[in-house]
Amino acid sequence: MASSTCATTSLSLSSSLRTNLSSSRTSRMPLISLRVSPIFEALSFKSVRTNFKNPISASASASARMAGQNKKIEKFETEEEVAVRLAKYTADLSAKFVKERGAFTVVLSGGSLIDALRKLAEAPYKDSVDWSKWHVFWVDERVVKRDHVDSNYKLALDGFLSKVPIPPGQVYAINDALSAEGAADDYETCLKHLVQRNVIATSKTTGFPKFDLMLLGMGPDGHLASLFPGHPLVNEKNKWVTCIKDSPKPPPERITFTFPVINSAAYNAMVVTGEGKASAVCTALGKSRHSETLPAQLLSAEDELTWFLDKSAASNL
């Protein structure tokens, strides 16, 4: 099977960095490693205030206000109902973009989001979705080896990617042989190469890459991706991908998309379940008198942002 390259002129994949998965997994989803040459009512609001050392900028807050213009909230009785709805939502968008663009660029996060995608790997979607047109990315990743328990790649592989026939050359993992800075730079270079090839669209509004769909989760503290309350990276305006070395949640070293890239997506889906995140959901959706701004409040999308909530997560609304 031919591999995709993620590089600029004359740069190619390094065969030495391809992961040879165990025989139980390689038949479905071997990893393509991208290498470019010399590439979220458990936490109290008191805790959030304590962590809020850096105020969110005025421009970021303005973006948060704009998000209400195309925001939907869908509530369900159970997590199972969330998963059923999420599968149809994703499959419908896949069909839309495959018809319009000939490709579907999907960005995954970690945590419980992967389990929420389980219905996509079942009938009818497993056989009806055009998986050959999917291109899969990560909104953030921990700087660990791909077989490490903390790896978002491994989580997605075990829980979803190994169960659907997405071409391995269209699954873009970080280079785990590089430092945090190197991995962030490498991944940004990868994205730029795919933008040049028009695999990833470009936002006519912002000039940043415009992914078709980002499937996101939120932590009990209101973080998304690896953008945490009070961290200066929340206000990053220029980089596409950056690294964090002092994550308040282990492991400390990660790479993450920045808000300009996240909010340039055509569709963003925020999937939140469980009572432990109810307080943060209430604040993020502007239903609380809490004065601080959480990263999740800054989430928007160019076409539509949808929050998918089960009864527990929506209990404070």
Side-chain angles (χ1 to χ4, degrees):
M1 179 180 294
S3 301
S4 69
T5 59
C6 193
T8 51
T9 305
S10 78
L11 299 178
S12 62
L13 289 169
S14 169
S15 59
S16 66
L17 288 178
R18 293 192 179 100
T19 295
N20 295 317
L21 302 177
S22 64
S23 58
S24 63
R25 297 190 287 185
T26 48
S27 61
R28 302 296 293 183
M29 182 57 56
L31 170 70
I32 191 74
S33 171
L34 305 171
R35 182 175 180 193
V36 182
S37 68
I39 102 100
F40 179 175
E41 188 173 20
L43 188 69
S44 69
F45 287 130
K46 179 178 179 181
S47 300
V48 174
R49 287 194 293 269
T50 300
N51 289 334
F52 218 98
K53 299 176 182 178
N54 296 280
I56 290 174
S57 69
S59 61
S61 296
S63 297
R65 290 192 296 273
M66 291 175 63
Q69 298 174 6
N70 58 350
K71 179 167 65 180
K72 293 170 56 179
I73 301 172
E74 297 192 18
K75 304 176 188 177
F76 303 88
E77 282 293 311
T78 66
E79 186 276 339
E80 177 75 3
E81 292 178 5
V82 171
V84 169
R85 171 63 179 132
L86 186 64
K88 184 180 188 307
Y89 170 88
T90 304
D92 288 349
L93 285 177
S94 175
K96 164 185 164 65
F97 283 104
V98 168
K99 181 178 180 179
E100 293 176 357
R101 302 183 55 240
F104 185 44
T105 53
V106 186
V107 179
L108 304 178
S109 58
S112 60
L113 182 279
I114 299 303
D115 187 52
L117 294 177
R118 63 188 180 274
K119 298 297 182 180
L120 272 173
E122 301 175 4
Y125 307 113
K126 186 172 183 177
D127 297 321
S128 63
V129 168
D130 189 350
W131 301 104
S132 70
K133 300 297 193 295
W134 279 46
H135 293 259
V136 180
F137 305 83
W138 276 263
V139 71
D140 73 324
E141 179 59 285
R142 291 83 179 271
V143 182
V144 295
K145 296 301 180 182
R146 294 188 199 92
D147 59 357
H148 192 282
V149 66
D150 288 332
S151 167
N152 282 342
Y153 169 80
K154 175 177 169 54
L155 180 68
L157 178 69
D158 294 347
F160 175 58
L161 294 176
S162 62
K163 303 174 183 180
V164 293
I166 300 171
Q170 294 168 199
V171 176
Y172 306 91
I174 73 165
N175 188 332
D176 63 354
L178 299 177
S179 66
E181 296 96 332
D185 290 344
D186 185 64
Y187 212 57
E188 181 166 326
T189 299
C190 163
L191 301 186
K192 289 179 176 178
H193 175 66
L194 293 171
V195 166
Q196 291 173 356
R197 291 173 47 201
N198 204 34
V199 173
I200 303 172
T202 300
S203 168
K204 295 180 180 179
T205 302
T206 68
F208 284 94
K210 184 178 182 178
F211 290 92
D212 299 329
L213 172 64
M214 293 199 188
L215 294 160
L216 307 170
M218 181 189 72
D221 60 349
H223 85 266
L224 61 86
S226 285
L227 299 170
F228 294 90
H231 198 282
L233 288 183
V234 171
N235 295 319
E236 173 60 49
K237 298 178 181 64
N238 299 311
K239 293 182 179 180
W240 294 13
V241 185
T242 190
C243 68
I244 179 173
K245 292 185 173 182
D246 56 350
S247 167
K249 180 180 178 181
E253 293 195 350
R254 302 154 174 250
I255 73 163
T256 183
F257 283 8
T258 61
F259 265 120
V261 172
I262 295 171
N263 289 346
S264 291
Y267 291 80
N268 273 327
M270 174 58 81
V271 185
V272 189
T273 60
E275 186 178 2
K277 300 179 182 180
S279 293
V281 167
C282 185
T283 299
L285 293 177
K287 306 298 183 180
S288 170
R289 294 181 180 179
H290 184 52
S291 61
E292 315 287 26
T293 300
L294 302 181
Q297 285 174 271
L298 304 180
L299 181 62
S300 63
E302 289 216 351
D303 294 353
E304 186 176 84
L305 163 63
T306 304
W307 283 69
F308 295 87
L309 309 172
D310 70 354
K311 185 177 181 178
S312 295
S315 60
N316 286 4
L317 296 179

